[in-house]
Amino acid sequence: MTPILAAIACLLAVTLGYGGLCAISPFGDCRKCRGMGHALKTDRKGRTKRGKDCRRCRATGKRIRVGRWLYNRWARIYRAGTAD
């Protein structure tokens, strides 16, 4: 197998794998709060406490994946263009 074919096969496998992941699980953990929905902070004694709610995920801990967001955008534009 030539290096070009190996690179194409690898890229195709990664793309199909990510597409399958977006189809099965459209929401992933928020990267800022790591899926907790809030920040962690420590008090003066060093104990961890609950911090402010995460603004990115609005305290849910989940965000829509980029691939799913792109698919939703494409589907919305396609439906609007084919509607009578």
Side-chain angles (χ1 to χ4, degrees):
M1 184 178 239
T2 65
I4 300 286
L5 287 176
I8 291 172
C10 183
L11 188 61
L12 186 63
V14 168
T15 303
L16 290 177
Y18 184 69
L21 178 67
C22 289
I24 293 170
S25 175
F27 294 97
D29 288 340
C30 177
R31 292 187 307 266
K32 184 166 184 163
C33 65
R34 295 187 178 111
M36 293 184 64
H38 55 83
L40 290 177
K41 65 180 193 177
T42 57
D43 60 3
R44 289 188 286 176
K45 292 183 179 179
R47 294 181 296 207
T48 57
K49 296 178 70 175
R50 187 182 199 280
K52 293 183 178 181
D53 288 343
C54 181
R55 294 186 316 175
R56 279 190 183 177
C57 64
R58 297 187 181 114
T60 60
K62 296 291 181 186
R63 300 260 331 239
I64 194 159
R65 295 186 195 276
V66 175
R68 186 59 183 216
W69 183 85
L70 288 171
Y71 172 76
N72 289 347
R73 178 64 56 107
W74 173 82
R76 190 177 307 126
I77 291 170
Y78 182 78
R79 278 193 304 267
T82 59
D84 290 330

